Amino acid sequence: MNSASPFQFRHTVGSHTFGFRDLKELMAKATPARSGDRLAGVAAESAEERVVAQMTLAEVPLQQFLQDLLVPYESDEITRLIIDEHDKTAFAPIAHLTVGGFRDWLLSDLATPAILTQIRAGVTPEMAAAVSKLMRNQDLILVAKKCEVTTAFRNTIGLPGHLSTRLQPNHPTDDLTGIAASILDGLLYANGDAVIGINPATDNVAQTCRLLHMMSDVIEHYQIPTQSCVLTHVTNTIEAIDQGAPVDLVFQSIGGTQATNDSFGFNLATLAEAQAAALSLQRGSVGNNVMYFETGQGSALSANAHHGVDQQTCEARAYAVARKFSPLLVNTVVGFIGPEYLYDGKEITRAGLEDHFCGKLLGLPMGCDVCYTNHADADQNDMDNLLTLLGVAGCTFVMGIPGSDDIMLNYQTTSFHDALYARRVLGLKPAPEFGLWLQQMEIFRNSDRFVLNQQVPDAFNQPLQRLLGA
């Protein structure tokens, strides 16, 4: 290193020397191309510069990520969380490696599922993001497949050979009959073992309580081994708990910097308060993972809170927030923010695989909303490809929405039958407790191959009005 040079990292190719001022710039330049980084002005200016940055990043020791902090320790509570809770004992087996060496080790047979579990608390989000930048898609899939993360509330999520789904029965006016119809439709397609989760059209405490009581009635009536969630702001959920609402999971969208989360209206103390409140209800039957988080590449940039860090690394830092609170589910809503951040199907696919890999490597029950907006250069075939790749990679859960079209949030995602396709083609099963319930309710008629019954079971023939107490 030349102390007289403005560049901390340099790499010479032929007669041309490329320079990178600091680790933050090197990480950004090494990131596979995407529109969000171009919008932020941090992307590599050419494919050649990107490859050189990746070659340079491969030589960086993992230890350096504990010293060269991308976001200042003094002003960011997420950085403090990452550094203060870093497990040096878990890090020791990989502490001697460079980023490139870490990639080779992760791909080797030495990195077994048991060993990956042992080292996960020693891996920082920045280390995970860095190594992902050196990986092809197949590398991301192979390593994620080896990372086993299991959580539980009323059923067990994330077991090998299983794929769960969030049943998402959103309605543009929060009409209870319409929501109930979508719930029953989803259940008949074997969806809903991860969670029955509603994005409310009217987001306030009263409506949150109304929806929570409705879903609780459905779950209790049919004795479904699953959990419900209203995806409202965490402070609304805290107030709903105070009012006696039947809260299973606490939801919050999270980001990778304190400034991002400030813009969302919460901090780590808020999440700790919400987790304690939900745990006090003791509503779980087989576990006590009570938090549900959603993330997405581009959220820090859209909040002008990225500190010059590339969007994929900001995304990985959000997983430090999630890991702190032992969630049941974490979901990257990969294409939801729009083409300003992930332009087309290729960028969405890459981001989905990156997010899933980083989350699983860090020990999170990582799912993915395989989705796009209508003004992105993507279509449902792109989503079919990503869904299949994530299924191969051991994704924890995906979305199940009527007709793949969320008529409240106005974006395209995966449908009830898409999840059924993924389970059938890859030989995956729902959560075991939920699978047993499906057989008991005669929704499945073949316990080995999970073949759907072609007729509506007698238990579901009662009118919706009776279910809703009308």
Side-chain angles (χ1 to χ4, degrees):
M1 185 184 300
N2 185 348
S3 60
S5 169
F7 300 112
Q8 182 177 5
F9 301 94
R10 293 187 297 166
H11 198 104
T12 300
V13 179
S15 60
H16 189 181
T17 298
F18 292 83
F20 308 95
R21 290 185 301 272
D22 52 27
L23 190 55
K24 181 191 303 185
E25 181 180 52
L26 179 62
M27 290 274 282
K29 300 286 189 181
T31 305
R34 65 206 61 203
S35 54
D37 289 339
R38 292 191 291 272
L39 179 65
V42 302
E45 295 181 5
S46 66
E48 183 181 17
E49 185 183 30
R50 181 174 300 109
V51 170
V52 172
Q54 291 169 341
M55 293 168 64
T56 307
L57 181 60
E59 299 172 357
V60 175
L62 292 181
Q63 291 272 10
Q64 190 149 352
F65 290 93
L66 301 174
Q67 302 161 10
D68 291 355
L69 307 182
L70 306 189
V71 181
Y73 181 94
E74 296 76 16
S75 60
D76 188 272
E77 69 172 356
I78 312 308
T79 300
R80 294 194 292 275
L81 172 67
I82 292 168
I83 297 302
D84 294 349
E85 299 199 1
H86 180 250
D87 189 327
K88 294 179 176 60
T89 301
F91 182 55
I94 58 172
H96 64 289
L97 296 174
T98 63
V99 177
F102 188 35
R103 172 191 176 273
D104 294 342
W105 181 82
L106 287 170
L107 291 169
S108 76
D109 291 336
L110 295 174
T112 63
I115 295 297
L116 289 170
T117 298
Q118 292 173 18
I119 64 121
R120 64 177 49 151
V123 180
T124 69
E126 290 86 354
M127 294 175 193
V131 74
S132 76
K133 298 176 192 299
L134 307 185
M135 290 181 157
R136 292 169 55 186
N137 286 1
Q138 67 171 238
D139 300 338
L140 299 172
I141 293 168
L142 175 61
V143 178
K145 180 74 170 181
K146 294 194 290 184
C147 296
E148 297 178 359
V149 183
T150 304
T151 57
F153 189 75
R154 290 201 190 97
N155 57 32
T156 309
I157 304 293
L159 292 169
H162 292 71
L163 174 66
S164 294
T165 64
R166 170 189 162 191
L167 202 170
Q168 186 170 314
N170 294 346
H171 193 281
T173 63
D174 287 339
D175 178 75
L176 292 187
T177 301
I179 291 171
S182 291
I183 290 174
L184 295 179
D185 188 25
L187 291 171
L188 291 172
Y189 276 97
N191 278 243
D193 52 334
V195 64
I196 301 174
I198 300 174
N199 298 89
T202 304
D203 193 5
N204 56 47
V205 176
Q207 186 69 343
T208 295
C209 292
R210 182 168 172 254
L211 294 172
L212 284 168
H213 281 288
M214 177 267 189
M215 287 189 290
S216 180
D217 289 346
V218 172
I219 290 172
E220 289 181 10
H221 179 86
Y222 290 116
Q223 294 295 294
I224 309 170
T226 191
Q227 37 282 329
S228 69
C229 184
V230 174
L231 281 70
T232 187
H233 194 270
V234 61
T235 55
N236 285 346
T237 304
I238 292 172
E239 189 170 342
I241 292 173
D242 290 341
Q243 293 184 14
V247 171
D248 291 339
L249 304 184
V250 175
F251 168 80
Q252 183 55 48
S253 294
I254 58 175
T257 68
Q258 180 177 335
T260 305
N261 294 331
D262 286 345
S263 75
F264 291 162
F266 77 94
N267 56 29
L268 297 179
T270 316
L271 296 180
E273 179 186 356
Q275 182 186 39
L279 287 171
S280 73
L281 300 180
Q282 299 182 336
R283 292 179 58 81
S285 56
V286 297
N288 61 357
N289 299 111
V290 296
M291 305 299 282
Y292 173 20
F293 297 118
E294 286 192 345
T295 66
Q297 288 194 29
S299 61
L301 176 57
S302 66
N304 194 28
H306 61 104
H307 296 272
V309 178
D310 68 90
Q311 68 179 37
Q312 188 253 335
T313 302
C314 282
E315 169 73 6
R317 283 171 52 91
Y319 304 156
V321 178
R323 184 164 63 174
K324 170 70 174 174
F325 296 100
S326 304
L328 180 75
L329 307 166
V330 180
N331 176 37
T332 172
V333 193
V334 64
F336 181 74
I337 302 181
E340 300 84 359
Y341 306 95
L342 296 169
Y343 179 74
D344 57 15
K346 182 177 182 179
E347 292 187 5
I348 292 170
T349 297
R350 174 69 191 188
L353 295 176
E354 289 170 347
D355 295 351
H356 178 254
F357 160 83
C358 288
K360 292 291 283 294
L361 184 62
L362 292 167
L364 292 176
M366 205 69 196
C368 184
D369 191 342
V370 179
C371 64
Y372 65 102
T373 58
N374 285 318
H375 60 309
D377 187 10
D379 59 26
Q380 210 65 39
N381 286 327
D382 295 311
M383 301 305 104
D384 288 348
N385 294 341
L386 178 54
L387 172 62
T388 305
L389 294 173
L390 287 168
V392 173
C395 187
T396 301
F397 71 107
V398 295
M399 303 300 108
I401 294 176
S404 305
D405 183 5
D406 192 305
I407 58 175
M408 196 279 284
L409 292 175
N410 293 309
Y411 77 115
Q412 309 303 310
T413 180
T414 46
S415 70
F416 299 144
H417 62 272
D418 289 335
L420 190 62
Y421 145 78
R423 284 172 173 164
R424 283 178 169 175
V425 76
L426 298 173
L428 302 172
K429 298 179 180 180
E433 299 88 347
F434 192 78
L436 179 61
W437 177 83
L438 291 169
Q439 295 171 50
Q440 292 171 343
M441 297 296 289
E442 298 182 341
I443 295 172
F444 280 157
R445 60 180 174 85
N446 184 302
S447 60
D448 295 323
R449 294 189 295 116
F450 289 92
V451 176
L452 287 178
N453 197 334
Q454 298 303 302
Q455 296 180 337
V456 177
D458 290 340
F460 288 100
N461 278 326
Q462 64 174 292
L464 286 173
Q465 288 77 10
R466 187 185 309 168
L467 177 61
L468 297 171

